[in-house]
Amino acid sequence: AGPIGLVSYGGSLMDNYLAYNAAIVDSVSSPAPNPGNTVVFDLRGRPNGPFQAALSFGNGGIPLGAAGIVPLSFDNLCYLSLIGAFPGLSGVLDANGDGTVKLAIPKIPALVGQTFYCAFINYSPIDHISNDHRVTMQ
């Protein structure tokens, strides 16, 4: 599968010069990113491919060698998302390469105004990397 040419609404400058062959965007069924809500992201990548999504406070780029660059920063939020602190960030895309990720936002009012990014990869092998998707808490 080649690049699908999608850049998320909440993309970054990095999206302007990196080609992605997977995409992550807000789901039409997702509520607003408010503390206490569960936001939903739509994924599009390799059909029947296992995926791992991650979160980050930045989008500086994590090099994965020949596979490309994941448009996230490796910070504490990224680490926590990769060790399973946020259930539901991994799974398998369907036969069309579609899937969803649901992220429960803690009901903490201090999160309002905080921005984070989400991206995902298909692995075994790593052959699809999504754009980053910016979310600002309301």
Side-chain angles (χ1 to χ4, degrees):
I4 58 177
L6 295 179
V7 175
S8 74
Y9 297 115
S12 71
L13 183 59
M14 184 177 273
D15 288 338
N16 294 328
Y17 62 89
L18 291 178
Y20 299 101
N21 57 359
I24 182 169
V25 296
D26 284 334
S27 174
V28 295
S29 64
S30 183
N34 298 331
N37 282 350
T38 297
V39 294
V40 182
F41 303 108
D42 287 335
L43 312 179
R44 179 147 187 231
R46 177 170 24 102
N48 302 310
F51 71 86
Q52 175 65 56
L55 309 171
S56 178
F57 289 122
N59 59 356
I62 302 170
L64 295 181
I69 299 171
V70 176
L72 298 175
S73 298
F74 191 73
D75 55 22
N76 289 336
L77 181 59
C78 186
Y79 175 76
L80 289 172
S81 66
L82 291 172
I83 65 167
F86 306 100
L89 294 180
S90 62
V92 178
L93 299 178
D94 69 15
N96 294 316
D98 297 325
T100 59
V101 166
K102 295 180 179 181
L103 178 64
I105 306 295
K107 195 170 187 172
I108 302 171
L111 292 175
V112 173
Q114 180 66 56
T115 295
F116 67 90
Y117 299 86
C118 187
F120 79 96
I121 62 168
N122 280 126
Y123 61 90
S124 289
I126 298 173
D127 60 354
H128 284 71
I129 299 175
S130 80
N131 57 294
D132 64 315
H133 185 67
R134 183 182 65 233
V135 176
T136 299
M137 299 298 297
Q138 300 174 4

